[in-house]
Amino acid sequence: MSFLGIDLGTGSLKLAIIDEEGREQCATSVAYAIDTPQPGWAEIDPQIWWRALCEAAARLPDAQRGAVRAIGFSGQMHGIVLSDAHGEPVRPAMLWPDTRAVSLLDAWPDPQPNPVAPGMAGPLLRWIALREPQSLRAARWALQPKDWLRVRLGGATATDPSDACATALADPAGNWDRELLARLGLPGEWFAPLALSYAAGGTLSGEAARALGLRAGIVLATGAGDTPCAALGSGLSRDGDALLTTGTGGQIVVLATQEPDAARGLHRYRAATDHWYRMAAMQNVGVALEAVRGWLSYEWHDAYRDAFEADAVSGLAFLPYLTGERTPWLNPAARGGWLGLALGTSRGAMMRAAFEGVAFSLRAGLDAIRQSGARVPVLRLAGGGSVDPRWRQLLADALDAELHAVDCPNAAARGAAILGGLAAGHWHAGDLAALAPTATRAAEPHSNPALASRYARFLDLYGRVEPWFAPS
C-alpha cells in the first residue's frame, strides 16, 4: 500500500509516492511556463496542468502506481480557475504573480485580518467582474488550482480552509465572507463548500484512472495549499515548530494550536491539519541572489567562494528588495541596491553584501514573528537555495536560530501524500509526529557583534530610503 502526493506548483507539477511508513519511494516532475500576454499578467491554460500530470504519472514505475490507495493534493496558493458547470475552464487560470489588480485593492481597506496582495483570488476576481463580463456570465465555479485538478480527477467540488483563508475573500478560518462577495459583485454560489484538508473528497474516476495508470475508485483527499503541505511534509506537527524555506522567495512558517493574533505584515492561516500557522513571506531570496550573480558575471561556485572568502566590508550594505517586499514592510514599491561602494570594492565584497542583505531581510521577517509572540530558537530548513554550509552558517548567525536541514526534497508533495493517507484512514492525527523526516543540525548561531551592527544599519538604511519608493 502506498499514497500519491500531487504538488501543483507555479512552474512545475511534482509527484511523490510514499509507503505505509511515510518513506518516499519515487518522485518525478514536469515543468511548464506561465503566460504573460500583457505586462504584469500571469496566466496558464489549466489543461497544461492536466497534461503535465499525465506525463509525470507515466514516468512513475508501474508497480508503484499499482500500489497507490489514495491521492492527496498540494497547490499553489492565491490564484483562481473560473470553470463552467462541467469543470471546463472559461478562461486561462490567473496566478499569484499577476499584478493587474494592483489598482483595485481599495476594496480591502486596513485593517485586514491578513495582508492582501493583487495576485490573490479576491482582487483577481474583482478585475474579472469589472473587465470580463463574458467570463462572469459563463462561470459556475471559482476554484483554487488544486481544487480544479481534483475535480478533473473525479473528485468533489470543494475547497479546504488553508486555501480559502488565503483568497482575501474569507475570514482567517476559511469561512467565505458573503457580505464582501456581494459588495464585490461576485456570485456567492461560485465558491465551493469547505472540507477538511485530510477529508475524503471523492474517488478517482475511471477515465482519470486510465489516463494516469492508477486504480479507479481510490480515495482523493481534499488537499491543502503548498505552504501548509510543505510544513506537514517537513515534519511540523507541534505548537511552535518552525520552518524556513529558501527558494525564489523565502517563507518562515510557525505552527500554532490556537489562532494567532493579527500582526501587520504577517499572515495567519489555517494549516493542513487542525493547527494554524503564522507566516512571514519575503519575496527576494533566490531571485535577488541570482540577479546579483548575473550582474557580477559569476558562476555559482565562484560566487560562494569569493563572497565567503572576502572580508565583510562594514560600510557596504545591500538592500535586496528588487521586486518589492511583503513581510515586514508591505511595500510593493520597495527597491534595492548597494550603498557604500568605493573604487576599491571587489566583486566578492559585493556578493558578500548581497548574501548578508538577503539574510537580513529574512531576519526582519523573523523579527516580526518573534514580536508577535513566537520564540523560534530552532528552524527546520528546506529549499534548494540553502545547501552551501557557509550560507547556512550566515543564516544561523543572522537569524540567531539553530538550523536543522530537513531530509525531504519533495516536502509539499510528501505532505499531500500524507493527506491522502489520512483521508484513507491509514494514519490519524496522532501519527504525524512519528512521520517527520530526518532533520540534521546544519548550523548553530554564533555571537557576531559586527554582523549585528550591520543588521542594525540595514534596518536604518531601509527606513531612510523608503520615502524614495513612494509614487511621485
Side-chain angles (χ1 to χ4, degrees):
M1 180 186 300
S2 61
F3 307 99
L4 172 65
I6 300 174
D7 176 27
L8 177 59
T10 309
S12 66
L13 181 142
K14 298 178 182 178
L15 301 181
I17 292 178
I18 63 175
D19 65 14
E20 298 178 48
E21 305 300 321
R23 297 170 299 208
E24 184 178 299
Q25 300 300 295
C26 56
T28 188
S29 66
V30 172
Y32 36 72
I34 297 174
D35 292 329
T36 54
Q38 295 191 38
W41 292 24
E43 300 184 341
I44 193 169
D45 178 358
Q47 300 299 347
I48 292 175
W49 295 336
W50 171 251
R51 292 194 291 270
L53 175 58
C54 294
E55 182 180 343
R59 297 178 182 178
L60 297 173
D62 291 342
Q64 298 288 355
R65 281 188 284 173
V68 170
R69 293 297 178 269
I71 301 174
F73 298 85
S74 162
Q76 54 182 293
M77 299 171 71
H78 307 311
I80 202 73
V81 184
L82 278 181
S83 64
D84 63 19
H86 304 289
E88 294 298 321
V90 304
R91 70 172 320 284
M94 304 166 79
L95 309 180
W96 66 268
D98 199 302
T99 60
R100 75 184 75 183
V102 68
S103 64
L104 304 179
L105 300 184
D106 57 337
W108 290 266
D110 287 334
Q112 287 293 320
N114 276 304
V116 178
M120 292 179 173
L124 292 175
L125 287 172
R126 188 183 183 206
W127 187 94
I128 289 285
L130 294 173
R131 305 292 179 85
E132 290 188 2
Q134 72 281 9
S135 297
L136 198 73
R137 291 190 296 268
R140 171 60 185 89
W141 296 106
L143 299 174
Q144 299 297 285
K146 66 99 170 52
D147 296 326
W148 178 86
L149 189 60
R150 187 188 58 256
V151 171
R152 181 69 175 79
L153 292 178
T157 302
T159 194
D160 77 296
S162 80
D163 244 349
C165 70
T167 61
L169 296 171
D171 67 18
N175 301 299
W176 298 116
D177 186 337
R178 301 293 174 179
E179 182 180 339
L180 175 60
L181 295 178
R183 191 167 74 247
L184 296 175
L186 303 177
E189 62 271 17
W190 271 6
F191 299 92
L194 291 180
L196 295 174
S197 300
Y198 51 86
T203 58
L204 187 66
S205 70
E207 176 189 359
R210 288 188 292 274
L212 302 180
L214 299 171
R215 291 178 52 184
I218 61 178
V219 173
L220 304 176
T222 304
D226 54 1
T227 295
C229 276
L232 177 61
S234 298
L236 273 62
S237 62
R238 300 185 180 92
D239 185 76
D241 285 352
L243 175 71
L244 165 64
T245 60
T246 57
T248 301
Q251 294 177 326
I252 299 173
V253 172
V254 183
L255 221 58
T257 54
Q258 303 295 324
E259 179 182 356
D261 293 334
R264 176 174 168 77
L266 293 179
H267 301 267
R268 49 181 178 139
Y269 288 154
R270 289 305 302 268
T273 54
D274 297 328
H275 285 81
W276 295 75
Y277 65 95
R278 295 176 176 90
M279 183 179 75
M282 287 65 65
Q283 294 185 186
N284 300 273
V285 179
V287 67
L289 293 175
E290 176 62 29
V292 170
R293 182 197 67 81
W295 294 334
L296 299 179
S297 299
Y298 266 128
E299 296 296 329
W300 270 116
H301 176 271
D302 297 331
Y304 278 112
R305 181 200 63 208
D306 288 2
F308 290 100
E309 286 182 356
D311 291 330
V313 179
S314 61
L316 182 60
F318 178 76
L319 293 177
Y321 303 124
L322 307 183
T323 66
E325 186 56 296
R326 290 168 68 180
T327 307
W329 313 122
L330 294 180
N331 186 356
R335 292 297 179 262
W338 287 274
L339 186 68
L341 292 171
L343 287 176
T345 303
S346 68
R347 284 196 307 160
M350 294 174 71
M351 194 75 223
R352 171 64 171 265
F355 277 112
E356 288 195 357
V358 168
F360 292 158
S361 72
L362 294 171
R363 172 61 184 268
L366 182 56
D367 280 352
I369 287 182
R370 285 171 169 156
Q371 290 162 10
S372 76
R375 289 185 57 247
V376 199
V378 177
L379 285 157
R380 286 187 166 232
L381 181 63
S386 57
V387 175
D388 188 274
R390 296 162 294 186
W391 175 221
R392 289 177 171 179
Q393 187 61 57
L394 175 58
L395 286 173
D397 293 344
L399 298 173
D400 190 25
E402 194 170 285
L403 301 181
H404 291 200
V406 178
D407 183 18
C408 184
N410 303 296
R414 181 176 185 269
I418 291 173
L419 293 177
L422 290 168
H426 177 70
W427 292 305
H428 301 283
D431 301 321
L432 295 179
L435 294 175
T438 303
T440 305
R441 186 169 66 180
E444 54 183 315
H446 300 147
S447 176
N448 189 332
L451 185 69
S453 176
R454 291 196 295 276
Y455 175 54
R457 184 173 185 272
F458 173 91
L459 295 178
D460 178 69
L461 175 60
Y462 176 81
R464 291 175 182 273
V465 303
E466 185 178 29
W468 297 356
F469 307 143
S472 57

